[in-house]
Each structure stands twice: as C-alpha cells, then as structure tokens.
Amino acid sequence: MSINGRRVFTEMVEVAQNELVREAASNQEDKFKGFINQVYQNELPSLLPEKFIQKEAFITLFSEYSTGTVTVGSATSGVQGATTVWTSAHNNFLLQVDGYNRIQRMTFSADTLLAFQNSLSWVEASGTGLGYSLFQDRYQLASDFAYMVEDDPEDPCVVSRFVNGAQLFLDPLENDDFDRNFNGVIGDLWAYTVRWVSETPYMQVLSAPSAGDILGYKYIPQLTTMAEYTTGTVTFTTGTAVVGAGMAWTANVDTSANTYYIRNDADGTGSSSKWYRILSVANATALTLQAAFGGTSGTGITYTISEISKWPARFDDAILYKAALIADPDNVQIKKWSSLYEEAVNLDRIVDGKRAKISPLKEFFGKRGK
C-alpha cells in the first residue's frame, strides 16, 4: 500500500505487472522494472516542469594567490617558486606571470614547484624573481549534476552570490562567449558557463575571484535508475532497529541521495505491501527506521528495500499507468491506461492554473489602488 501517498519502486512494478496488466510470470519482472524506469527517467522530464526536481548547491571559491616570486625558463615544463607556499589546494589553478602573455593551467608538484598541464612547456623569455598570480576560474559541480536550471540572459536567476546583503545573479554565457570574454582579470564575478571536462561538469566564472566567496546555483540532478535490494535476511522487532545477515547495506542504500523503504515480504506484495521508511543506515547489516516497525516480527526474514521517485507523490500513479500502457501485450486496456496517465500528468497544470488566478482579496485591493 502507498505510504503517505508514495508508491515505492517495487510496489509500482508489482502493481503494474500483477494487478493492471496481469502478466504474472516471474521472468517478466525485469521488463516491468525497465518500463517503470523508462517513464521515470525519460518520459516525465519531457513533460513536467523542472521545478519539481531542481536542487540547490554551493561552491566555495578560492582566493587569488600571489605570495613570493617565480622563475620561468624557456622550454621548461614547470615553474619554480621562491618563498611560495603552494599546496594541493592550488592544483588545476591558472598561472599568469607578470609581463608575459600566456595563461596556463598548472598541476601542483610541491610548495615551490608547479607543472604545466597538457604536456606544455614555457615558450616565452626566461625570467627570475617575477611577480605572478595563481587563480581558479573553474569549480566542479555536484556529483549528481545533469544540467543547470534554465537561465535567462536578460533576467538571470540561477547562479548567485551575496554582496552587502543583496543577492546578485551572474549572467549565463555559452562556452564560446565565455572564451571570447576571458582575459585573466581578477575581480568581481559577473558571468558563468558550464563546461564538461573529461565527462566531469564544471562551472567557470568571470572574473576569477580575488577573495574567497560562495556561489549558490540551481540545477537538475541526474535521475538514476530506481532499484531494489533483497540480499540476505533480516530480524524485525517492534522497535526502529533492523539488523540483518549476508547483506551490504552501506554500499547499496544511500539515504543521503535517495529515500528508501523496507518491508517484510510475508506481509504482502503489490498494493498490499506494508512499507516502513528507513531513516539511516549504520553499517552493512544495521539500519534504523523512521518509526517503529508494525509488521510481522521475526528472524531470518526475507525482505525488500526499495526507493521512491524524486518526482512529487502525485506523479507516482502517472509512472505506474504509463508503464502499464507500454506493457499491455494486447492493447486491451490502452484507452484506460492512457486516460489515467493523462489525468495524472495534467493534474499539475490544473493546480498551477488555479494558483495563477487572482484571489478575490488581491483583486479587491488592486481596485482600491486605482
């Protein structure tokens, strides 16, 4: 049964297969898992507003570093520092030497040694005791980052910092526009772009910060495949503690990234399931429930841990109905599933439409203000 209006992944699969389509063969379960995830990961993102799954994260910016002096030499593969205290935190920083043209990204080697990346070497004149600037213009984005929330160059509202208590938003730039504007200037931040480097997403900023700061940004996370975990057996009691044997919960149940529920399989399947939310995982064989377990207690029990969709609860049934629509082998119920799916998806448009209407109170005060 749904918990607080939620249907967990396993329940969606069992209901679609056994109660809606009624294709009960056990070897067909993976097919229904695939249909559920197809709708979850591909179908709904193309139909629903980003606001439902967008997240906010923060980047701590590094300040410019210019302590000491550097020595550069023609055809050398690195830069030697004098009275510098470079650390691993300066890895991948950009280096600009006073009076020279090139700006190059560096790899940290030692507190007085930096190496050029991309197998490059110094091609300008040699020099000793030179001033320099070491600064960072790019920062790795969240591990589950898929893409940035849509931003409007005329009215930016996605990436921001605070100045004198006011939230200021950076202008979004395409990669090419960013490159055309880049000049190694250190100063106030005013623009950003997102760039993928070796399959890793980074935010690059203009201008590079002269002092530490914090940037907030709104993004759309990667919707990873929903899954279940059933390895081993567990002991259920009337409390919130659940212990098991033969499983690896720490590696497979990440409550910081997803919301999980657990059930005693003997207490029911499909819409008869009885699920209990997992609050935290202590180690490979111990977890804590959000509330006391109310099902059948015992030891050596087979169980299922399953996660829920990151879409709001009202779209759980939409996922279920569309999966049934895809899976129906004879298209016998195609009109029914299609109608129920459209109704579930369109519920959002109806709700938003009501919110957009002017309330009688607002309309009253609006007329008085004329």
Side-chain angles (χ1 to χ4, degrees), residues 94-221:
L94 291 171
L95 174 72
Q96 183 173 34
V97 180
D98 294 353
Y100 290 85
N101 295 315
R102 291 190 61 82
I103 298 175
Q104 300 191 113
R105 199 167 295 278
M106 312 301 292
T107 295
F108 167 77
S109 296
D111 58 351
T112 58
L113 182 62
L114 298 174
F116 298 122
Q117 293 187 5
N118 302 314
S119 301
L120 297 176
S121 60
W122 186 259
V123 296
E124 299 187 66
S126 300
T128 302
L130 303 171
Y132 72 98
S133 176
L134 197 61
F135 59 93
Q136 183 60 282
D137 74 327
R138 76 181 191 190
Y139 298 86
Q140 188 170 336
L141 295 167
S143 60
D144 63 344
F145 178 89
Y147 55 92
M148 204 70 78
V149 167
E150 185 177 359
D151 209 353
D152 182 357
E154 301 300 322
D155 186 21
C157 61
V158 174
V159 178
S160 65
R161 56 193 286 253
F162 281 89
V163 177
N164 295 325
Q167 188 174 20
L168 301 182
F169 290 93
L170 277 59
D171 295 335
L173 296 179
E174 298 293 337
N175 286 176
D176 291 344
D177 289 334
F178 182 94
D179 292 341
R180 280 189 283 267
N181 281 278
F182 178 81
N183 56 13
V185 171
I186 310 296
D188 287 337
L189 301 175
W190 65 275
Y192 76 94
T193 193
V194 173
R195 194 187 303 268
W196 291 76
V197 180
S198 299
E199 301 181 359
T200 300
Y202 291 88
M203 182 191 298
Q204 288 187 268
V205 294
L206 287 175
S207 298
S210 58
D213 202 346
I214 295 176
L215 285 183
Y217 64 96
K218 292 174 280 189
Y219 72 99
I220 304 303

Side-chain angles (χ1 to χ4, degrees), residues 66-348:
S66 58
T67 299
T69 60
V70 297
T71 294
V72 295
S74 180
T76 57
S77 60
V79 171
Q80 187 70 47
T83 67
T84 57
V85 189
W86 297 326
T87 71
S88 59
H90 296 115
N91 197 46
N92 291 318
F93 273 51
L94 291 171
L95 174 72
Q96 183 173 34
V97 180
D98 294 353
Y100 290 85
N101 295 315
R102 291 190 61 82
I103 298 175
Q104 300 191 113
R105 199 167 295 278
M106 312 301 292
T107 295
F108 167 77
S109 296
D111 58 351
T112 58
L113 182 62
L114 298 174
F116 298 122
Q117 293 187 5
N118 302 314
S119 301
L120 297 176
S121 60
W122 186 259
V123 296
E124 299 187 66
S126 300
T128 302
L130 303 171
Y132 72 98
S133 176
L134 197 61
F135 59 93
Q136 183 60 282
D137 74 327
R138 76 181 191 190
Y139 298 86
Q140 188 170 336
L141 295 167
S143 60
D144 63 344
F145 178 89
Y147 55 92
M148 204 70 78
V149 167
E150 185 177 359
D151 209 353
D152 182 357
E154 301 300 322
D155 186 21
C157 61
V158 174
V159 178
S160 65
R161 56 193 286 253
F162 281 89
V163 177
N164 295 325
Q167 188 174 20
L168 301 182
F169 290 93
L170 277 59
D171 295 335
L173 296 179
E174 298 293 337
N175 286 176
D176 291 344
D177 289 334
F178 182 94
D179 292 341
R180 280 189 283 267
N181 281 278
F182 178 81
N183 56 13
V185 171
I186 310 296
D188 287 337
L189 301 175
W190 65 275
Y192 76 94
T193 193
V194 173
R195 194 187 303 268
W196 291 76
V197 180
S198 299
E199 301 181 359
T200 300
Y202 291 88
M203 182 191 298
Q204 288 187 268
V205 294
L206 287 175
S207 298
S210 58
D213 202 346
I214 295 176
L215 285 183
Y217 64 96
K218 292 174 280 189
Y219 72 99
I220 304 303
Q222 297 175 359
L223 292 178
T224 56
T225 301
M226 289 191 289
E228 61 184 15
Y229 189 79
T230 60
T231 300
T233 60
V234 300
T235 296
F236 286 111
T237 66
T238 55
T240 59
V242 178
V243 296
M247 66 279 294
W249 284 339
T250 309
N252 293 281
V253 183
D254 182 4
T255 54
S256 67
N258 302 298
T259 300
Y260 293 89
Y261 287 80
I262 188 173
R263 75 178 179 194
N264 176 343
D265 291 339
D267 285 340
T269 61
S271 57
S272 297
S273 295
K274 297 179 181 179
W275 296 96
Y276 302 86
R277 183 171 177 174
I278 297 173
L279 179 63
S280 61
V281 175
N283 54 54
T285 60
L287 59 80
T288 300
L289 303 179
Q290 187 177 58
F293 181 74
T296 303
S297 299
T299 300
I301 295 173
T302 60
Y303 71 99
T304 298
I305 290 178
S306 188
E307 60 186 278
I308 62 171
S309 159
K310 287 184 170 61
W311 296 103
R314 64 178 178 271
F315 298 114
D316 286 352
D317 283 343
I319 297 174
L320 177 62
Y321 294 139
K322 185 57 183 281
L325 174 62
I326 297 171
D328 192 338
D330 303 315
N331 291 328
V332 174
Q333 303 277 11
I334 188 170
K335 290 185 178 180
K336 176 181 179 181
W337 306 140
S338 181
S339 176
L340 289 171
Y341 171 66
E342 292 296 332
E343 181 180 342
V345 170
N346 287 331
L347 177 63
D348 169 65

